[in-house]
Each structure stands twice: as C-alpha cells, then as structure tokens.
Amino acid sequence: MNDALHWNRIAPNYDNEIFNVFKNDKKKKLKKYVLKYANKNNIAIDFGCGVGKALPLLSPLFKEILAVDVSAKCIDRAKATMRVDNVTFRVVDLAGRRISVPSVDFAFCCNVAMSGNVKRNQRIINNVLQSLNKGGTALFVLPSLESVSVSALSLINWHAREGTTLSEIPKDDLALYRNQNTKHIEQGIVKIDNVATKHYLFTELYAMFNNDNFEMQNIDRLEYDFQSCCKRTSCKYSRRRFFVMVCTAKVTAEPSHSSSLSQRLA
C-alpha cells in the first residue's frame, strides 16, 4: 500500500490511531521551540500536516503557512477545522524525488519521516531542508531509538527488583521488543503496534543535521507516557518514553524570493 492510500484510509479515524504529540508533550517544549523561531513576517511550511494538529500553534505565529500532506482526505479534514486566511493547503508526496514548494524561513515536520522505508524517510528530510532560505530553520520531531532502549532496560530492571528473571518476564510486557527483524534493528526500525517505525539515534541526527549546508541549533527530548509498553499500572519506569526534537538552520546562500506565499505558489 502506498503512502497516500495508507493515510487516506486512516484519515476518518485519525484522532484514535495517531499519537497526538502536542497533547502529550508533558513539558510543552515543542511550543517553546516553535515560539523561539516564530516571526509574523515570515512564511512557514508544515510538512506532513495530517489533519492539522500543528496549525493552531503555527498559524498565529507566522505571516503565512503552507500545509502539505500526501493524503487528500487528511487535508480535507484539516480544511474543515482550520478556517483561517493565512493557511494554504496542498497535496504533495513529501518523499517525491522533486517536489514543488516555495523556499521559506521556517519548516515544521512532526513525526513524518518515520516509516519502515529508510530511503523515503531520507527523501522527506532532504525535501524539508531544501525548502529553507539561508538562515531559515527546520524543526523535526522524530522517534528516538535511545528512548526504546532505555524503556526496555528500565522495564527489565523493574522486574529484577521484583525478583523476576528475564525468562520469567510476561510476554505481554516485552511484546514491543520480541520478534524484531534483525535488519530492521540495524536500521533503527522498531515495530510499534506491529507497524515498522524508524527510530533515530542522537549521534545519527547530529551527523545528519550538521554539515557544510546546515548547522544544528537545538536537540532535545519531548517526554510522554507510553502506556502500551507495560500493562502493569505500577510499572512506571517502562512508560518513560520520549521523541527527539531537532532544530537545524541553513547556513548556505540562497537566491531571494518574493515575500507572498500566493505569488510563490502561482
């Protein structure tokens, strides 16, 4: 199933199937970092806008927003709930080899480059970065491989303190970590609810977003509770999970562009 079909299928039940990062960001760090880079004279793109969860935060903080997603049905839902003059919607295959979007000053991409297809994830990231003007910033939220590892070790240690050996740990408690594909593990892909999901190492992200063209500005953890990791309500350690948030700035020169999003989309 291609990405458009997949997300069109999910769109009607999006709120129940897709984790809401904004609602579950325990320390509200995501809002803090968006505010840090917000500018009401600048234009921003929400890459992988889905049903528009980020738009209530982004829309008041920027002059204009282009919200793009591979799913027409997700965009239809976003249009129905986000009726403001400064947001324009467009259906775009974010992993396309060449996509047509304007160059902007801020790009937002929350839990989009995370499928089991590593090449498509990299094309999404490249397309986001290529959309930036010189001095522009991209903010990514991505699943963390360190988070999965720490959660697994914490769960095992919790059971050890109860006197439970590794072989005695209930299968349901370790369901997330059993029967993983060896090749997938090498690529940072872990199954979440039986869906292959790319997770990133901090060192991997540092290398990816620090080079001749880009300079990492911030890297931080967005903490949340992961209830499905362990069904025992007293096992708090296994639920300490986090996404990784990365801000990177473009440091190379770019030609000037017009200031109106409508002109850029014409």
Side-chain angles (χ1 to χ4, degrees), residues 46-263:
D46 182 1
F47 282 89
C49 65
V51 298
K53 297 293 185 183
L55 295 177
L57 172 61
L58 298 176
S59 176
L61 300 176
F62 293 90
K63 180 180 178 182
E64 296 176 74
I65 305 288
L66 174 61
V68 297
D69 199 275
V70 70
S71 168
K73 291 187 176 181
C74 282
I75 283 184
D76 286 343
R77 283 199 56 190
K79 286 180 179 178
T81 58
M82 195 65 192
R83 298 177 180 176
V84 292
D85 293 336
N86 72 331
V87 178
T88 302
F89 295 93
R90 184 195 285 180
V91 177
V92 176
D93 179 4
L94 305 181
R97 296 186 183 279
R98 297 186 66 179
I99 67 172
S100 177
V101 295
S103 296
V104 296
D105 308 294
F106 183 79
F108 183 82
C109 187
C110 181
N111 278 350
V112 179
M114 55 182 284
S115 76
N117 188 321
V118 175
K119 290 183 179 179
R120 286 184 66 82
N121 292 333
Q122 190 58 58
R123 288 202 297 269
I124 291 171
I125 291 171
N126 289 343
N127 285 332
V128 174
L129 295 177
Q130 289 304 311
S131 74
L132 294 176
N133 290 319
K134 180 184 178 182
T137 302
L139 189 158
F140 292 89
V141 177
L142 298 159
S144 167
L145 193 56
E146 283 92 350
S147 175
V148 173
S149 300
V150 170
S151 181
L153 290 172
S154 296
L155 177 59
I156 292 168
N157 289 337
W158 184 86
H159 276 289
R161 285 192 292 273
E162 284 198 331
T164 307
T165 65
L166 184 60
S167 61
E168 295 171 334
I169 296 176
K171 289 183 178 181
D172 285 344
D173 282 9
L174 288 179
L176 180 63
Y177 313 106
R178 295 183 185 272
N179 303 319
Q180 298 287 352
N181 182 293
T182 302
K183 182 178 180 181
H184 279 180
I185 291 295
E186 292 173 352
Q187 296 176 320
I189 297 172
V190 178
K191 284 190 176 181
I192 304 296
D193 293 332
N194 209 34
V195 177
T197 305
K198 167 63 178 171
H199 290 65
Y200 295 81
L201 290 166
F202 274 63
T203 50
E204 177 183 11
L205 293 170
Y206 188 86
M208 187 183 302
F209 295 117
N210 266 312
N211 52 52
D212 292 340
N213 299 315
F214 297 93
E215 183 177 281
M216 184 182 290
Q217 304 296 301
N218 305 98
I219 186 165
D220 207 340
R221 308 191 324 177
L222 304 183
E223 297 179 358
Y224 65 96
D225 286 330
F226 188 73
Q227 298 294 339
S228 63
C229 181
C230 179
K231 295 182 179 179
R232 299 189 182 190
T233 56
S234 60
C235 182
K236 298 179 180 179
Y237 297 98
S238 67
R239 300 201 303 271
R240 293 179 181 176
R241 297 289 297 275
F242 56 89
F243 293 107
V244 61
M245 187 219 64
V246 182
C247 299
T248 188
K250 193 168 190 174
V251 295
T252 52
E254 286 289 330
S256 61
H257 297 272
S258 61
S259 60
S260 168
L261 180 58
S262 59
Q263 289 177 322

Side-chain angles (χ1 to χ4, degrees), residues 31-44 57-63 65 105-106 137 139:
K31 181 178 181 179
K32 181 187 77 172
Y33 281 104
V34 171
L35 286 170
K36 179 178 180 178
Y37 296 105
N39 187 322
K40 290 189 177 181
N41 295 316
N42 289 347
I43 295 172
L57 172 61
L58 298 176
S59 176
L61 300 176
F62 293 90
K63 180 180 178 182
I65 305 288
D105 308 294
F106 183 79
T137 302
L139 189 158

